[in-house]
Amino acid sequence: MEKIRRQLTLFLNEPNGIIEKIRAEFNPKQYRLISAHVTLCREDEIEPIENIISRIKSIELEKTIRIEFGKAERFSNGKGVCISSLDHNNEFKELRKLVLGQTELEKEQVPHITLMHPRNSTCTNDIFERIEKYDLPTELNFGKISLIEQRNGGKWKVLQEFGIVKK
């Protein structure tokens, strides 16, 4: 039976050389599966998809979504590495509310960019020390939402993209 996953994603507006360099070197499998991104909504949140797409198409923000990030940190018993957003994620939270049609979010989603996914890489102390030496971005802007799909664990494909900033 085919396994299909869909989610809403915020890809980096411009490819970030440092982030992609780290991903390519220390987590090449994940690097090949999907570009660096922040997950906006997971698959269990976006059904029925037609309603979600309708809401996304009505979004017209004045400016891009800005997310501030902290330092690299390890997670999943130290196997994975990500840069998580700082606590004040109001723009991200408001975007999630608009997309999901909720006044209060049922589930918290902390914006982060995975540098090493624990499913297909393992961070060591040496690798983490090397990652910490990179000058990682502290702020990124996002201007579109991508609906992406993965079939049977393969490469993620963009199905649709939606600009969310007024022209």
Side-chain angles (χ1 to χ4, degrees):
M1 184 169 166
E2 187 171 46
K3 182 175 185 204
I4 299 172
R5 296 176 59 203
R6 288 187 179 148
Q7 62 185 35
L8 295 175
T9 298
L10 304 173
F11 285 109
L12 280 54
N13 277 347
E14 311 92 36
N16 186 287
I18 292 169
I19 289 174
E20 293 297 16
K21 179 180 184 327
I22 291 168
R23 296 177 72 241
E25 182 176 351
F26 300 116
N27 194 185
K29 184 171 182 183
Q30 193 71 13
Y31 173 80
R32 287 189 300 272
L33 289 175
I34 190 168
S35 297
H37 65 281
V38 172
T39 300
L40 180 64
C41 299
R42 301 213 175 266
E43 59 208 276
D44 61 329
E45 298 177 296
I46 60 171
E47 292 301 329
I49 192 65
E50 297 77 21
N51 295 351
I52 298 292
I53 289 173
S54 177
R55 278 196 289 277
I56 292 171
K57 286 180 176 177
S58 71
I59 296 173
E60 289 188 350
L61 304 176
E62 295 293 325
K63 59 185 177 57
T64 57
I65 296 293
R66 183 175 61 90
I67 302 176
E68 293 181 74
F69 293 92
K71 297 179 191 262
E73 58 188 58
R74 292 172 85 169
F75 69 99
S76 193
N77 296 321
K79 284 181 66 175
V81 179
C82 71
I83 52 174
S84 289
S85 65
L86 300 178
D87 288 338
H88 47 282
N89 302 312
N90 293 336
E91 292 178 28
F92 180 81
K93 287 177 186 173
E94 289 306 313
L95 181 59
R96 274 181 52 83
K97 286 179 188 176
L98 289 172
V99 168
L100 297 172
Q102 299 172 353
T103 52
E104 279 305 312
L105 293 172
E106 294 172 19
K107 286 170 58 175
E108 186 72 23
Q109 174 75 16
V110 177
H112 65 278
I113 297 173
T114 303
L115 302 175
M116 293 181 69
H117 201 296
R119 186 180 311 122
N120 48 38
S121 69
T122 300
C123 185
T124 64
N125 290 339
D126 177 56
I127 290 172
F128 189 66
E129 286 173 17
R130 290 171 61 194
I131 290 172
E132 284 184 305
K133 290 179 182 169
Y134 283 98
D135 186 20
L136 293 166
T138 56
E139 180 179 303
L140 292 168
N141 293 290
F142 303 89
K144 68 181 174 189
I145 297 172
S146 299
L147 172 62
I148 62 173
E149 178 180 89
Q150 180 188 50
R151 291 179 178 263
N152 299 321
K155 184 174 174 66
W156 286 89
K157 292 183 170 52
V158 175
L159 299 179
Q160 286 183 275
E161 291 185 313
F162 308 93
I164 54 174
V165 180
K166 279 185 193 177
K167 293 185 170 121

